[in-house]
Amino acid sequence: MRKWLIPVGIILVAVFALYSWAKGVNNTAVTLSEGIKESWGNVETSYQRRNDLIGNLVKTVKGAADFEKSTLEAVIKARSEATSVKIDPANITPEQLAQFNQAQGNLNSSLSRLLVTVEQYPDLKANQNFLKLQDELASTENQILTARTRFNEAVKPYNTHIKTFPNSLLAGMFGFTEKAYFDAVAGAEKAPEVEFNFDNKEDKK
């Protein structure tokens, strides 16, 4: 009888060790994945704040007489397209982030053109509501950069965890796949300029 106890004991210890390892791999991946979801939520919140500010900015600009209609419509269209791109944080792929970045980049470009055009409207430039929105946009751009950076920081330990051997043997079985990073885009290290020069001769008249 004792002859069977030793091998049975060894098997039980091995099974328990395997279970503990599998449990650790799974639970750690779940915890890290939840951190990514939280970080992505902060990214979305930052972009949503910017979209709201742009909406208010558009309403303010609409009140200016003879403002360039095509420039304003371009911003409205780009804003609509940017808000239509939805991403599931549980299944973030490089293709999804590329599409998201493309839409946000188009909005950046159209917004920049609008802000440059405003230079031709001294009364609009002096509008206190418009000036406040400019400042809030600049602050929000910095929040976006911070949120994107923290998202990448949340993705790194998760990817490392599921890709490191021997965790990689179980990660796929448990349904954990590699998450995509935000790629740096041209000028990403600097928030778009939304400040204007108020020393133009035209304003001094």
Side-chain angles (χ1 to χ4, degrees):
M1 190 68 179
R2 292 181 178 179
K3 294 181 179 180
W4 291 99
L5 290 178
I6 295 178
V8 169
I10 293 175
I11 292 174
L12 290 176
V13 170
V15 169
F16 180 76
L18 182 62
Y19 168 78
S20 297
W21 169 53
K23 179 181 176 182
V25 170
N26 180 78
N27 290 352
T28 300
V30 169
T31 300
L32 294 174
S33 181
E34 288 301 311
I36 292 174
K37 291 180 182 178
E38 180 182 9
S39 295
W40 179 252
N42 293 332
V43 169
E44 287 188 316
T45 297
S46 298
Y47 275 110
Q48 183 59 54
R49 172 174 166 75
R50 184 181 72 163
N51 289 334
D52 292 342
L53 288 172
I54 291 175
N56 292 333
L57 189 72
V58 166
K59 291 179 181 178
T60 300
V61 173
K62 277 185 176 179
D66 302 323
F67 191 85
E68 294 184 15
K69 185 178 179 180
S70 61
T71 301
L72 197 56
E73 289 179 342
V75 174
I76 295 173
K77 179 182 178 183
R79 178 174 177 265
S80 176
E81 292 175 347
T83 55
S84 68
V85 179
K86 303 298 182 182
I87 292 181
D88 177 9
N91 184 35
I92 299 176
T93 65
E95 292 76 19
Q96 288 178 326
L97 279 188
Q99 182 183 14
F100 183 87
N101 276 333
Q102 178 69 38
Q104 297 299 336
N106 291 340
L107 179 55
N108 274 342
S109 297
S110 60
L111 178 62
S112 295
R113 288 193 294 271
L114 182 146
L115 294 176
V116 169
T117 304
V118 168
E119 283 290 318
Q120 303 170 22
Y121 297 81
D123 292 339
L124 182 57
K125 285 169 55 178
N127 183 295
Q128 291 301 310
N129 186 44
F130 184 83
L131 295 175
K132 180 181 178 182
L133 288 170
Q134 284 181 240
D135 290 339
E136 291 183 359
L137 272 172
S139 175
T140 302
E141 290 294 345
N142 289 328
Q143 292 177 21
I144 288 173
L145 292 178
T146 298
R148 284 167 59 113
T149 298
R150 289 178 178 172
F151 171 80
N152 280 351
E153 290 174 348
V155 170
K156 183 177 179 180
Y158 168 84
N159 282 347
T160 300
H161 176 71
I162 67 168
K163 293 170 67 177
T164 302
F165 183 84
N167 294 353
S168 57
L169 298 176
L170 293 179
M173 295 173 56
F174 291 155
F176 295 108
T177 57
E178 183 178 0
K179 306 289 188 184
Y181 290 96
F182 261 118
D183 289 329
V185 294
E189 73 284 355
K190 182 180 180 182
E193 291 290 339
V194 293
E195 298 296 330
F196 293 95
N197 179 13
F198 290 94
D199 296 328
N200 291 341
K201 292 182 180 180
E202 184 178 8
D203 295 327
K204 293 182 179 180
K205 291 181 181 180

